[in-house]
Amino acid sequence: MAWLLVVVAGILETGFAVCLKLSHGFTRLFPTIAFAAFALGSFGLLTLALRRLDVGPAYAVWTGIGAAGTAIYGMVFLGDVVSTLKIISITMVIVGVVGLQLSGAAH
């Protein structure tokens, strides 16, 4: 259950990063409110998960999901440049996160 909280928190991290961009420096109301809601949800769920998980693997999964999710969202919906190197790099982040999660699961 704790890992599910980390995954959802990572997805919410993607939401707060995207809304941060869309807020244009907190000058647009809806994206600013959405940023705050996503950020509070993300940090809240991560905090709950850290009661049961080692901080290193949990934090790596959280940030990895957020980073990969934000990069993918940007390429699909915001017109960010898509390149082979970007796709390979995102894949490497995901592989690294899975490896850290698996290394933490043995304890």
Side-chain angles (χ1 to χ4, degrees):
M1 182 60 157
W3 281 113
L4 178 62
L5 294 176
V6 172
V7 170
V8 174
I11 293 167
L12 292 175
E13 184 188 1
T14 297
F16 83 67
V18 170
C19 288
L20 186 60
K21 174 168 178 61
L22 298 176
S23 77
H24 291 276
F26 300 124
T27 61
R28 294 186 176 164
L29 183 60
F30 176 74
T32 299
I33 292 169
F35 160 79
F38 283 128
L40 287 172
S42 181
F43 285 112
L45 292 178
L46 181 62
T47 298
L48 293 175
L50 287 175
R51 291 179 177 174
R52 296 189 172 256
L53 300 173
D54 290 340
V55 69
Y59 184 75
V61 169
W62 178 70
T63 58
I65 291 170
T70 303
I72 292 167
Y73 187 94
M75 288 185 291
V76 173
F77 297 106
L78 300 177
D80 289 358
V81 175
V82 178
S83 70
T84 302
L85 183 56
K86 252 190 198 181
I87 300 298
I88 291 170
S89 298
I90 291 168
T91 302
M92 289 171 55
V93 167
I94 293 168
V95 168
V97 163
V98 169
L100 277 171
Q101 192 279 333
L102 293 175
S103 74
H107 298 307

